[in-house]
Amino acid sequence: MTWQRAAVLRVLGGCQDFVSAQELHALLEAAGRGVGLTTVYRALRALAATGRVDVVRDDAGERLYRRRVADGHRHYLMCRCCGRSQPVAAEVVEEWAERVGRDAGFAAVQHTVELTGICALCVPNADEGEPPCRSGPARHGEHRTHSN
Amino acid sequence: MTWQRAAVLRVLGGCQDFVSAQELHALLEAAGRGVGLTTVYRALRALAATGRVDVVRDDAGERLYRRRVADGHRHYLMCRCCGRSQPVAAEVVEEWAERVGRDAGFAAVQHTVELTGICALCVPNADEGEPPCRSGPARHGEHRTHSN
DNA sequence: GATGGACATGGAAGTCGTTTTCAATTAGCC
DNA sequence: GGCTAATTGAAAACGACTTCCATGTCCATC
């Protein structure tokens, strides 16, 4: 565990929401702790492999990362407008996925579930059909300010 | 509707499984009907927009397309080894997604669900952890031969 | 049959997230 | 201190996808 990986993990922990590798890199830069983009990617891949972060893909195919608070598999509901995300209970889906796979005779079944919408705070000023303007409208409560 | 788009749609209809734009382009080339890659992408985007094909992203983030047989939203169970795919009943998930979104006060909720595994025919010779070798092991029943 | 405009095509070049390469640096250990 | 293995990171490569733009095609109108 190098200081670079520690920094990645710490900044990631300071984000309530999903961030991309590039955003994380910029955040580290802004925090005065320059870490190479390559290293950020490597750290995130390692963290994802060991299940310490959850990974999601946005509409553009970009990978977004979020530190996993509790153990186990999680799914999230994410706002397409402000990027705010929250874990949701998904036992139903877990069971469904397992049952469907079993019934079809499939082994080693994996599933990815991504839930997005426009959150209550964004609905007023959201022109539906808006691009996934994650870096756009100021994030409610300023999740993005990492003073540490 | 030009002959290029018709060709794309026809070859796509000849594939039981999901194919990438690049694969489709190669198939068209092999069929003697050379269609520009750009046109393939455009045609697929248009077809996806009008709901005539379903789109999925593989592990690498590549988009895979499959002609939609019946109307309405569909989900698929896909073999990570041979690429074979089959639609699955997902009313449970539809309802779950809607309920979760509503409970959280989200509007315009969308969901993507992707189910993968190792199909019964692949299990014997599948070293779990294999890469998504879609073009790898000969596909059962030769789904990929498009003599038309 | 000729004219002109709207639209589709497709090769080349560009974009962008991500991975690979490889020399330099650093961590861990005797 | 010295050695080895792992890590770093800038630059280059990669690959899917999009944009650009010159060319081609369809089709109504003259």
Side-chain angles (χ1 to χ4, degrees), chain A residues 17 20 32 43 46-47 83 135 148:
Chain A
D17 297 317
S20 68
L47 288 168
S135 51
N148 45 337

Side-chain angles (χ1 to χ4, degrees), chain B residues 98-116:
Chain B
E98 211 208 331
R99 178 168 43 76
V100 164
R102 185 158 17 85
D103 291 355
F106 275 56
V109 175
Q110 296 172 2
H111 64 276
T112 68
V113 174
E114 265 141 48
L115 226 50
T116 65

Side-chain angles (χ1 to χ4, degrees), chain A residues 14-58:
Chain A
C15 301
Q16 271 89 347
D17 297 317
F18 284 92
V19 284
S20 68
Q22 314 264 354
E23 284 175 318
L24 208 52
H25 178 242
L27 284 171
L28 285 158
E29 202 81 32
R33 259 176 286 275
V35 174
L37 184 56
T38 313
T39 304
V40 174
Y41 273 109
R42 271 192 284 242
L44 288 173
R45 193 146 34 118
L47 288 168
T50 56
R52 282 151 79 189
V53 301
D54 287 308
V55 188
V56 154
R57 272 178 187 282
D58 68 7

Side-chain angles (χ1 to χ4, degrees), chain A residues 3-4 25 28 32 34 39 44 48 68-69 72 78 87 91 94 96-98 101 111 120-121 132-133 148:
Chain A
W3 68 264
Q4 285 97 334
H25 178 242
L28 285 158
T39 304
L44 288 173
R68 186 183 290 177
V69 282
M78 186 158 95
E91 290 79 16
E94 309 287 338
W96 168 83
E98 212 208 330
H111 63 276
L121 291 164
C133 50
N148 45 337

